Structure formats: structure tokens, C-alpha cells
Amino acid sequence: MFESSAFYFAAFLALFLAIGVVIAKNPIYSILCLIGVFFCLTIQYILLNAQFLAAVNIIVYAGAIMVLFLFVIMFLNLNVDTEPQKPMLAKIAAIIAGGSLLLIMVAALRDIQPAGYDAATLDSQIGMVDRLGLVLYKSYLLPFELASVLFLVAMVGAVMLGKREVGERNF
């Protein structure tokens, strides 16, 4: 009883904060709402017995990624004076695109029958770190290693792009 009410409360709060991300005029408020969405998703991960995903969600997304977003937005110094006003055609196109996406999602999810769970066959260790490690290093070893090489190349590229040449002016 408590789990289902907490799950629905976290889902409602996540949807409310996600709407806040989209409609917030100030980008800082939008990021703070997005951090709230990540915390609600972490609550749902904990309720679904996926403690590792909950910890990674807090550490990586709500921590590192959101600090990076906040830094970039503050670095760009966005305000009304520097931003041009969007034309009405762009707003109408965005509404049409969003409405068609909503229509496609509703049509795709209309015929889904959610299945319950059987307590006799429920595996309570499904979201634990050891199971995730076994799946990651047995079934998905090649994609995992390719992603690590891609991250290494991205880090080297970022260092090379950020490196200043001798005699280059600092703005």
C-alpha cells in the first residue's frame, strides 16, 4: 500500500516538475525543476528495487550533469536583451510537432496490457549491482568497451580543443 502510493506521488511530482522544466521562463528555474524530476525518478528506482540505478541517477545526473548545465547557462548569460524573439511560425510549428508526438505516443500505448507480477517467481535481486555487472560484462561487453573508447576519444578531443596555443589572445 505504501509503495504504490509513494510511487504514484513521485510520478505525479515528476510530471508536475517536468511541466515546470518546459514552461519556466528563467533557465535557472528550469534546471532546478529538472533536478527535482531526477530526484523523483530516484525515488521510483528505489521503489522498484534498483538501488544502483538510484545511486547513479543522483550522482551522475542530478549531481554532475545538472551542475554542468547550470554552469553553461550561467556562462552564456542568457537574458531577454540578447535573445531574439521567436517568430509566431516557429511557435506554431513547435505546438504541431509536440501535438503529433503526443498523438503517436497515445496511439502506440493504447493497446498495451500491463502485466502484474507473480510473487512466487519474483526475483528480488534483479536491480542489484552484481546482476548488472554480470549482464554488462557478459552479454554487452563489446558495446561497453566501445562506449569507453568513445568517452576516451571525447576527453582527448575536449582537451585538444581547450588547449591554448602560444601567443593566442585571451578574450
Side-chain angles (χ1 to χ4, degrees):
M1 178 65 185
F2 170 74
E3 289 87 9
S4 71
S5 61
F7 186 85
Y8 286 125
F9 176 73
F12 171 75
L13 191 60
L15 287 174
F16 181 73
L17 288 170
I19 292 171
V21 169
V22 175
I23 65 172
K25 299 274 186 206
N26 191 344
I28 305 297
Y29 295 149
S30 179
I31 286 184
L32 291 175
C33 285
L34 191 57
I35 291 172
V37 169
F38 285 144
F39 277 111
C40 291
L41 291 178
T42 300
I43 292 169
Q44 290 183 342
Y45 284 145
I46 290 171
L47 290 172
L48 292 172
N49 199 24
Q51 289 84 8
F52 179 72
L53 286 177
V56 167
N57 191 34
I58 288 293
I59 293 169
V60 173
Y61 289 110
I65 302 293
M66 287 299 106
V67 168
L68 179 69
F69 281 4
L70 194 60
F71 175 75
V72 167
I73 286 177
M74 288 182 161
F75 184 71
L76 291 175
N77 194 14
L78 299 174
N79 54 25
V80 178
D81 299 333
T82 61
E83 287 295 310
Q85 191 68 11
K86 301 277 191 265
M88 185 57 81
L89 183 64
K91 292 178 183 178
I92 292 172
I95 290 172
I96 290 171
S100 63
L101 178 64
L102 178 66
L103 182 68
I104 290 169
M105 285 177 49
V106 167
L109 297 175
R110 183 182 55 196
D111 295 329
I112 291 180
Q113 297 295 325
Y117 72 95
D118 184 18
T121 61
L122 179 67
D123 186 9
S124 65
Q125 299 296 315
I126 195 71
M128 298 298 173
V129 180
D130 57 348
R131 293 282 181 96
L132 180 64
L134 286 174
V135 169
L136 193 61
Y137 288 117
K138 284 189 177 182
S139 301
Y140 297 102
L141 181 63
L142 182 63
F144 181 74
E145 291 298 325
L146 289 176
S148 67
V149 169
L150 181 67
F151 285 140
L152 178 66
V153 169
M155 281 194 310
V156 169
V159 168
M160 293 304 291
L161 287 174
K163 185 177 160 185
R164 298 203 185 274
E165 296 293 328
V166 178
E168 185 177 312
R169 288 184 353 169
N170 295 333
F171 295 104

